[in-house]
Structures are given as structure tokens and as C-alpha cells.
Amino acid sequence: IAGHGEEVPALAGLARAWGAELLVLTPDERTAAACGSEAVLLRTRAAHPALVLDRWSALVMLFHDHDWETALLRQALAQEALFIGAMGSARTHANRLAALEAAGVSEEQAARVCGPIGLIPAARDPQTLALSVLSEVVAKWQYRRTD
């Protein structure tokens, strides 16, 4: 999980209860404190060495300040991943894809980023969004497990 705000610990708590191994990347000290030992504090808007994904990994971006996303998404797209998704409206997602293309990411690679995320459209409160997003990730995980 990468992001800041109440959505991050809400998703972390549900994912932990489901049994997922977690890493939280956040520029916010309060978010890091709420997530405990699984949190890594981001100091810059650059790629981060802790972001390592494999075919069973999901990256969920929960940034309200979307300037934090581009370098991390670019890094994630260079790796294999089960799911890469980011919070925001359809307009925000279109802006995100444009920022990725401006950063040198091909349209084909950028299309791997899911957005808006979650199975419940326009979920607003942190707990509902967390449940909605985790459900989407678990569905992808279950599909891959039986693939």
C-alpha cells in the first residue's frame, strides 16, 4: 500500500486480517505510526528500493496528492504484479495515465494501472473503500490461484 490518509490504515488492517503480508509506503508520519512496523516513510517523490513486486503482489496507491504516484507507478510497472491500482476518479486516472506517458511509460504499460479502484463505485468512507479495494485484489488473487 502506498499513500497517506485514513484509507491506508483501514486497508492495512483488513489486508492483515485476510492474511496478507504488508508493506506501507507513506510520506506521512501519522499514517506511518498508524500502520506500525510495516510502514516505510517516503522522503522524496522518487522510486523506492522497498517497492519490490512479484506475480502475487498487489500495489494499491491511496494518495490524495497524486504527485507522489508517478515514480512509484513507473517503478511498479517495470515489475510483474498481480494488481496495480490507484484511488481517484476517472478524470484523476486519465491525468495519472498522461503523467505516466510524459514520464516515458508506454501506453500499453500504463494500461496495467487500474483506476478507479474497488468493486463498490464511488466508495467515500475509508472503511468501505478498503473493503471494496481488498475485494478486488482478493478476486484477482483467487483467479490467479486457480489459473
Side-chain angles (χ1 to χ4, degrees), residues 84-109:
I84 299 171
M87 176 176 74
S89 67
R91 180 184 301 158
T92 298
H93 190 63
N95 292 338
R96 175 183 298 119
L97 295 179
L100 286 170
E101 288 184 45
V105 175
S106 73
E107 188 176 335
E108 179 182 332
Q109 279 293 89

PDB file of all heavy atoms in Angstrom, residues 84-109:
ATOM      1  N   ILE A  84      -2.061  -3.596  -9.924  1.00  0.00           N
ATOM      2  CA  ILE A  84      -1.569  -2.248  -9.650  1.00  0.00           C
ATOM      3  C   ILE A  84      -2.764  -1.331  -9.834  1.00  0.00           C
ATOM      4  O   ILE A  84      -3.355  -1.295 -10.926  1.00  0.00           O
ATOM      5  CB  ILE A  84      -0.422  -1.840 -10.603  1.00  0.00           C
ATOM      6  CG1 ILE A  84       0.777  -2.776 -10.466  1.00  0.00           C
ATOM      7  CG2 ILE A  84      -0.003  -0.391 -10.337  1.00  0.00           C
ATOM      8  CD1 ILE A  84       1.858  -2.572 -11.519  1.00  0.00           C
ATOM      9  N   GLY A  85      -3.146  -0.654  -8.777  1.00  0.00           N
ATOM     10  CA  GLY A  85      -4.312   0.206  -8.866  1.00  0.00           C
ATOM     11  C   GLY A  85      -4.127   1.472  -8.063  1.00  0.00           C
ATOM     12  O   GLY A  85      -3.318   1.527  -7.139  1.00  0.00           O
ATOM     13  N   ALA A  86      -4.901   2.491  -8.420  1.00  0.00           N
ATOM     14  CA  ALA A  86      -4.766   3.785  -7.763  1.00  0.00           C
ATOM     15  C   ALA A  86      -6.138   4.421  -7.542  1.00  0.00           C
ATOM     16  O   ALA A  86      -7.010   4.359  -8.405  1.00  0.00           O
ATOM     17  CB  ALA A  86      -3.876   4.706  -8.583  1.00  0.00           C
ATOM     18  N   MET A  87      -6.279   5.040  -6.393  1.00  0.00           N
ATOM     19  CA  MET A  87      -7.503   5.710  -5.988  1.00  0.00           C
ATOM     20  C   MET A  87      -7.697   6.995  -6.787  1.00  0.00           C
ATOM     21  O   MET A  87      -6.735   7.679  -7.114  1.00  0.00           O
ATOM     22  CB  MET A  87      -7.394   6.030  -4.485  1.00  0.00           C
ATOM     23  CG  MET A  87      -8.540   6.806  -3.911  1.00  0.00           C
ATOM     24  SD  MET A  87      -8.361   7.029  -2.119  1.00  0.00           S
ATOM     25  CE  MET A  87      -7.066   8.254  -2.015  1.00  0.00           C
ATOM     26  N   GLY A  88      -8.939   7.310  -7.061  1.00  0.00           N
ATOM     27  CA  GLY A  88      -9.266   8.569  -7.721  1.00  0.00           C
ATOM     28  C   GLY A  88     -10.379   8.386  -8.732  1.00  0.00           C
ATOM     29  O   GLY A  88     -10.736   7.263  -9.099  1.00  0.00           O
ATOM     30  N   SER A  89     -10.890   9.484  -9.192  1.00  0.00           N
ATOM     31  CA  SER A  89     -11.977   9.492 -10.170  1.00  0.00           C
ATOM     32  C   SER A  89     -11.456   9.097 -11.557  1.00  0.00           C
ATOM     33  O   SER A  89     -10.241   8.974 -11.775  1.00  0.00           O
ATOM     34  CB  SER A  89     -12.577  10.892 -10.240  1.00  0.00           C
ATOM     35  OG  SER A  89     -11.620  11.797 -10.787  1.00  0.00           O
ATOM     36  N   ALA A  90     -12.368   8.954 -12.500  1.00  0.00           N
ATOM     37  CA  ALA A  90     -11.979   8.671 -13.883  1.00  0.00           C
ATOM     38  C   ALA A  90     -11.123   9.807 -14.434  1.00  0.00           C
ATOM     39  O   ALA A  90     -10.142   9.566 -15.149  1.00  0.00           O
ATOM     40  CB  ALA A  90     -13.223   8.451 -14.741  1.00  0.00           C
ATOM     41  N   ARG A  91     -11.435  11.041 -14.088  1.00  0.00           N
ATOM     42  CA  ARG A  91     -10.647  12.184 -14.539  1.00  0.00           C
ATOM     43  C   ARG A  91      -9.242  12.129 -13.930  1.00  0.00           C
ATOM     44  O   ARG A  91      -8.245  12.355 -14.619  1.00  0.00           O
ATOM     45  CB  ARG A  91     -11.311  13.494 -14.159  1.00  0.00           C
ATOM     46  CG  ARG A  91     -10.490  14.700 -14.625  1.00  0.00           C
ATOM     47  CD  ARG A  91     -11.066  16.006 -14.192  1.00  0.00           C
ATOM     48  NE  ARG A  91     -12.420  16.171 -14.698  1.00  0.00           N
ATOM     49  CZ  ARG A  91     -13.321  16.985 -14.181  1.00  0.00           C
ATOM     50  NH1 ARG A  91     -13.021  17.706 -13.121  1.00  0.00           N
ATOM     51  NH2 ARG A  91     -14.518  17.077 -14.700  1.00  0.00           N
ATOM     52  N   THR A  92      -9.164  11.817 -12.646  1.00  0.00           N
ATOM     53  CA  THR A  92      -7.859  11.681 -11.986  1.00  0.00           C
ATOM     54  C   THR A  92      -7.052  10.574 -12.652  1.00  0.00           C
ATOM     55  O   THR A  92      -5.848  10.723 -12.878  1.00  0.00           O
ATOM     56  CB  THR A  92      -8.043  11.387 -10.484  1.00  0.00           C
ATOM     57  OG1 THR A  92      -8.720  12.487  -9.889  1.00  0.00           O
ATOM     58  CG2 THR A  92      -6.730  11.133  -9.785  1.00  0.00           C
ATOM     59  N   HIS A  93      -7.709   9.478 -12.989  1.00  0.00           N
ATOM     60  CA  HIS A  93      -6.999   8.367 -13.610  1.00  0.00           C
ATOM     61  C   HIS A  93      -6.476   8.761 -14.996  1.00  0.00           C
ATOM     62  O   HIS A  93      -5.348   8.404 -15.362  1.00  0.00           O
ATOM     63  CB  HIS A  93      -7.893   7.130 -13.697  1.00  0.00           C
ATOM     64  CG  HIS A  93      -7.154   5.906 -14.096  1.00  0.00           C
ATOM     65  ND1 HIS A  93      -6.138   5.359 -13.343  1.00  0.00           N
ATOM     66  CD2 HIS A  93      -7.234   5.135 -15.206  1.00  0.00           C
ATOM     67  CE1 HIS A  93      -5.644   4.292 -13.947  1.00  0.00           C
ATOM     68  NE2 HIS A  93      -6.298   4.145 -15.088  1.00  0.00           N
ATOM     69  N   ALA A  94      -7.261   9.500 -15.747  1.00  0.00           N
ATOM     70  CA  ALA A  94      -6.800   9.975 -17.061  1.00  0.00           C
ATOM     71  C   ALA A  94      -5.575  10.876 -16.905  1.00  0.00           C
ATOM     72  O   ALA A  94      -4.601  10.755 -17.670  1.00  0.00           O
ATOM     73  CB  ALA A  94      -7.921  10.718 -17.782  1.00  0.00           C
ATOM     74  N   ASN A  95      -5.588  11.743 -15.902  1.00  0.00           N
ATOM     75  CA  ASN A  95      -4.420  12.598 -15.621  1.00  0.00           C
ATOM     76  C   ASN A  95      -3.220  11.760 -15.208  1.00  0.00           C
ATOM     77  O   ASN A  95      -2.081  12.057 -15.583  1.00  0.00           O
ATOM     78  CB  ASN A  95      -4.747  13.622 -14.537  1.00  0.00           C
ATOM     79  CG  ASN A  95      -5.747  14.657 -15.005  1.00  0.00           C
ATOM     80  OD1 ASN A  95      -5.919  14.885 -16.196  1.00  0.00           O
ATOM     81  ND2 ASN A  95      -6.429  15.280 -14.057  1.00  0.00           N
ATOM     82  N   ARG A  96      -3.468  10.723 -14.432  1.00  0.00           N
ATOM     83  CA  ARG A  96      -2.398   9.815 -13.989  1.00  0.00           C
ATOM     84  C   ARG A  96      -1.752   9.149 -15.196  1.00  0.00           C
ATOM     85  O   ARG A  96      -0.522   9.061 -15.300  1.00  0.00           O
ATOM     86  CB  ARG A  96      -2.999   8.775 -13.046  1.00  0.00           C
ATOM     87  CG  ARG A  96      -2.081   7.698 -12.578  1.00  0.00           C
ATOM     88  CD  ARG A  96      -2.816   6.693 -11.700  1.00  0.00           C
ATOM     89  NE  ARG A  96      -3.329   7.329 -10.502  1.00  0.00           N
ATOM     90  CZ  ARG A  96      -4.632   7.384 -10.173  1.00  0.00           C
ATOM     91  NH1 ARG A  96      -5.550   6.816 -10.927  1.00  0.00           N
ATOM     92  NH2 ARG A  96      -5.000   7.979  -9.060  1.00  0.00           N
ATOM     93  N   LEU A  97      -2.569   8.644 -16.109  1.00  0.00           N
ATOM     94  CA  LEU A  97      -2.030   7.983 -17.307  1.00  0.00           C
ATOM     95  C   LEU A  97      -1.236   8.952 -18.160  1.00  0.00           C
ATOM     96  O   LEU A  97      -0.183   8.597 -18.696  1.00  0.00           O
ATOM     97  CB  LEU A  97      -3.169   7.345 -18.105  1.00  0.00           C
ATOM     98  CG  LEU A  97      -3.917   6.205 -17.407  1.00  0.00           C
ATOM     99  CD1 LEU A  97      -5.045   5.684 -18.293  1.00  0.00           C
ATOM    100  CD2 LEU A  97      -2.991   5.083 -16.977  1.00  0.00           C
ATOM    101  N   ALA A  98      -1.704  10.185 -18.259  1.00  0.00           N
ATOM    102  CA  ALA A  98      -0.964  11.212 -19.015  1.00  0.00           C
ATOM    103  C   ALA A  98       0.383  11.498 -18.357  1.00  0.00           C
ATOM    104  O   ALA A  98       1.402  11.650 -19.049  1.00  0.00           O
ATOM    105  CB  ALA A  98      -1.796  12.487 -19.122  1.00  0.00           C
ATOM    106  N   ALA A  99       0.406  11.554 -17.025  1.00  0.00           N
ATOM    107  CA  ALA A  99       1.666  11.787 -16.304  1.00  0.00           C
ATOM    108  C   ALA A  99       2.632  10.629 -16.521  1.00  0.00           C
ATOM    109  O   ALA A  99       3.847  10.835 -16.683  1.00  0.00           O
ATOM    110  CB  ALA A  99       1.401  11.996 -14.814  1.00  0.00           C
ATOM    111  N   LEU A 100       2.126   9.406 -16.542  1.00  0.00           N
ATOM    112  CA  LEU A 100       2.981   8.244 -16.793  1.00  0.00           C
ATOM    113  C   LEU A 100       3.556   8.285 -18.203  1.00  0.00           C
ATOM    114  O   LEU A 100       4.742   8.022 -18.406  1.00  0.00           O
ATOM    115  CB  LEU A 100       2.201   6.945 -16.563  1.00  0.00           C
ATOM    116  CG  LEU A 100       1.935   6.589 -15.105  1.00  0.00           C
ATOM    117  CD1 LEU A 100       0.958   5.432 -15.010  1.00  0.00           C
ATOM    118  CD2 LEU A 100       3.238   6.259 -14.385  1.00  0.00           C
ATOM    119  N   GLU A 101       2.719   8.615 -19.177  1.00  0.00           N
ATOM    120  CA  GLU A 101       3.215   8.713 -20.553  1.00  0.00           C
ATOM    121  C   GLU A 101       4.263   9.811 -20.680  1.00  0.00           C
ATOM    122  O   GLU A 101       5.277   9.631 -21.351  1.00  0.00           O
ATOM    123  CB  GLU A 101       2.056   8.933 -21.515  1.00  0.00           C
ATOM    124  CG  GLU A 101       1.217   7.668 -21.676  1.00  0.00           C
ATOM    125  CD  GLU A 101       0.104   7.811 -22.689  1.00  0.00           C
ATOM    126  OE1 GLU A 101       0.358   8.352 -23.786  1.00  0.00           O
ATOM    127  OE2 GLU A 101      -1.016   7.375 -22.372  1.00  0.00           O
ATOM    128  N   ALA A 102       4.052  10.934 -19.992  1.00  0.00           N
ATOM    129  CA  ALA A 102       5.039  12.026 -20.005  1.00  0.00           C
ATOM    130  C   ALA A 102       6.346  11.592 -19.349  1.00  0.00           C
ATOM    131  O   ALA A 102       7.411  12.114 -19.684  1.00  0.00           O
ATOM    132  CB  ALA A 102       4.475  13.260 -19.296  1.00  0.00           C
ATOM    133  N   ALA A 103       6.279  10.623 -18.434  1.00  0.00           N
ATOM    134  CA  ALA A 103       7.469  10.107 -17.760  1.00  0.00           C
ATOM    135  C   ALA A 103       8.124   8.963 -18.530  1.00  0.00           C
ATOM    136  O   ALA A 103       9.045   8.319 -18.030  1.00  0.00           O
ATOM    137  CB  ALA A 103       7.101   9.643 -16.344  1.00  0.00           C
ATOM    138  N   GLY A 104       7.619   8.690 -19.739  1.00  0.00           N
ATOM    139  CA  GLY A 104       8.250   7.686 -20.581  1.00  0.00           C
ATOM    140  C   GLY A 104       7.650   6.297 -20.503  1.00  0.00           C
ATOM    141  O   GLY A 104       8.209   5.350 -21.052  1.00  0.00           O
ATOM    142  N   VAL A 105       6.523   6.141 -19.846  1.00  0.00           N
ATOM    143  CA  VAL A 105       5.860   4.833 -19.749  1.00  0.00           C
ATOM    144  C   VAL A 105       4.989   4.665 -20.995  1.00  0.00           C
ATOM    145  O   VAL A 105       4.221   5.570 -21.348  1.00  0.00           O
ATOM    146  CB  VAL A 105       5.004   4.735 -18.467  1.00  0.00           C
ATOM    147  CG1 VAL A 105       4.227   3.428 -18.423  1.00  0.00           C
ATOM    148  CG2 VAL A 105       5.890   4.886 -17.232  1.00  0.00           C
ATOM    149  N   SER A 106       5.100   3.516 -21.635  1.00  0.00           N
ATOM    150  CA  SER A 106       4.295   3.275 -22.837  1.00  0.00           C
ATOM    151  C   SER A 106       2.811   3.192 -22.466  1.00  0.00           C
ATOM    152  O   SER A 106       2.451   2.867 -21.333  1.00  0.00           O
ATOM    153  CB  SER A 106       4.726   1.977 -23.526  1.00  0.00           C
ATOM    154  OG  SER A 106       4.294   0.853 -22.768  1.00  0.00           O
ATOM    155  N   GLU A 107       1.977   3.469 -23.448  1.00  0.00           N
ATOM    156  CA  GLU A 107       0.529   3.386 -23.234  1.00  0.00           C
ATOM    157  C   GLU A 107       0.126   1.972 -22.820  1.00  0.00           C
ATOM    158  O   GLU A 107      -0.724   1.791 -21.950  1.00  0.00           O
ATOM    159  CB  GLU A 107      -0.203   3.795 -24.517  1.00  0.00           C
ATOM    160  CG  GLU A 107      -1.693   3.918 -24.351  1.00  0.00           C
ATOM    161  CD  GLU A 107      -2.369   4.426 -25.613  1.00  0.00           C
ATOM    162  OE1 GLU A 107      -1.714   5.106 -26.429  1.00  0.00           O
ATOM    163  OE2 GLU A 107      -3.571   4.140 -25.770  1.00  0.00           O
ATOM    164  N   GLU A 108       0.766   0.979 -23.415  1.00  0.00           N
ATOM    165  CA  GLU A 108       0.479  -0.424 -23.093  1.00  0.00           C
ATOM    166  C   GLU A 108       0.819  -0.728 -21.624  1.00  0.00           C
ATOM    167  O   GLU A 108       0.045  -1.368 -20.919  1.00  0.00           O
ATOM    168  CB  GLU A 108       1.273  -1.348 -24.014  1.00  0.00           C
ATOM    169  CG  GLU A 108       1.055  -2.820 -23.740  1.00  0.00           C
ATOM    170  CD  GLU A 108       1.910  -3.700 -24.649  1.00  0.00           C
ATOM    171  OE1 GLU A 108       2.237  -3.278 -25.775  1.00  0.00           O
ATOM    172  OE2 GLU A 108       2.249  -4.805 -24.196  1.00  0.00           O
ATOM    173  N   GLN A 109       1.980  -0.280 -21.168  1.00  0.00           N
ATOM    174  CA  GLN A 109       2.361  -0.490 -19.770  1.00  0.00           C
ATOM    175  C   GLN A 109       1.450   0.285 -18.819  1.00  0.00           C
ATOM    176  O   GLN A 109       1.017  -0.233 -17.809  1.00  0.00           O
ATOM    177  CB  GLN A 109       3.817  -0.086 -19.542  1.00  0.00           C
ATOM    178  CG  GLN A 109       4.808  -1.141 -19.947  1.00  0.00           C
ATOM    179  CD  GLN A 109       4.715  -2.365 -19.063  1.00  0.00           C
ATOM    180  OE1 GLN A 109       3.949  -3.289 -19.323  1.00  0.00           O
ATOM    181  NE2 GLN A 109       5.488  -2.378 -18.007  1.00  0.00           N
TER     182      GLN A 109
END
